[in-house]
Amino acid sequence: MSSSSPSTSPSIVSSRAPGKIILSGEQFVVLGAPAVAMAVNLYSKIEVRPSQSGRIEVTADIPLHLVGDADKGSLVGENRELLEPLRLAASATLDHLAMRDRGVHVEANCQIPSGAGLGSSASTTVATISAVAKSRRARLNREDIFKLAFIPENYLHGHPSGVDQATCIYGGIIQFKKPSKIKAITVKRPPTILVCDSGAHRSTKALVGAVVKRSQEQTDGFQSHLDEITSISNAVVKALRKEDDNELGRLMNRNHEMLRQIGVSTPDLDRLVAEALQAGALGAKLTGAGGGGCIIALCADKKDRSNIARKLRNAGGTIYNVSLDASGVK
Ligand code: PMV
């Protein structure tokens, strides 16, 4: 117990939040179409204790990856971009709670690779908001956490739809539509998903910004994409409820093709998608903003998933055998 901590504040508290994958609708969700996303059992854990300085302090232990231009060799773990969202999340929470005492030390520990499309930033910011509130003996409801998370997410992304933070907060599978329509999708059997990381990590902000710009230049083309992705996301929900994996796989394949058409896939992601399908996946697509990061593959069962994982590992990918996180931030 820290003797300097105020008697009303616990000395150390923690929260954790899951990562996420997007089954359908990324990028298009920023333009107003619905997306379907699933929380997965890769976690970020945030500990909050009183700070010595009386100010907000942030330290992080997050998997280090080369970002952007590999020649520059910039490591995310040394990047201010990574810590600033957490500081903003803590600050926004203290403002919301009208706390004048700003003395919190936020320590982030994250299993989710950053810049890979698995929601590392949303997961860490959501867990930070929850833990900072706990450190002040306050409990925020999910709607408040959702609203507060836009402050760090805006800083990082420029145009966040809200789907990432919604999934990390609510857990399970959700259908999401801007600005804040969140529908929990209850399934008897979650899909068997394999995540394969291409190893090329990138900035969501730049990718989303380019798609938004293109959508403003090609309004007609994008309107038909938005209509189609709306049907796809609605059909994904039906397929999940009916446990129709063949249909879900078909929809994922079509969604990947659309992401290719708007220019956010890469030859490497296309190659991993093709390898997964050849190895027996029922469907495969990139997940997240694209430009690198991860693909997801739908597998008939766990045995098939092992075979597909072996092939993708041989093709140079890093595998995460994820399962559904049902609880969200806690
Ligand atoms: O940050 P990522 O790569 O997990 O992408 C999130 C999904 C996007 O649709 C690309 C952005 C958003 O805010 O919806």
Side-chain angles (χ1 to χ4, degrees), residues 17-37:
K20 67 98 215 340
I21 56 173
I22 297 186
L23 297 171
S24 68
E26 57 270 269
Q27 292 287 0
F28 302 104
V29 67
V30 175
L31 305 172
V36 181

Side-chain angles (χ1 to χ4, degrees), residues 20 22 26-27 29-30 117 157 160-161 163-164 202 204 208 288-289:
K20 67 98 215 340
I22 297 186
E26 57 270 269
Q27 292 287 0
V29 67
V30 175
H157 284 199
S161 65
V163 66
D164 280 13
R202 76 295 176 273
T204 297
V208 172

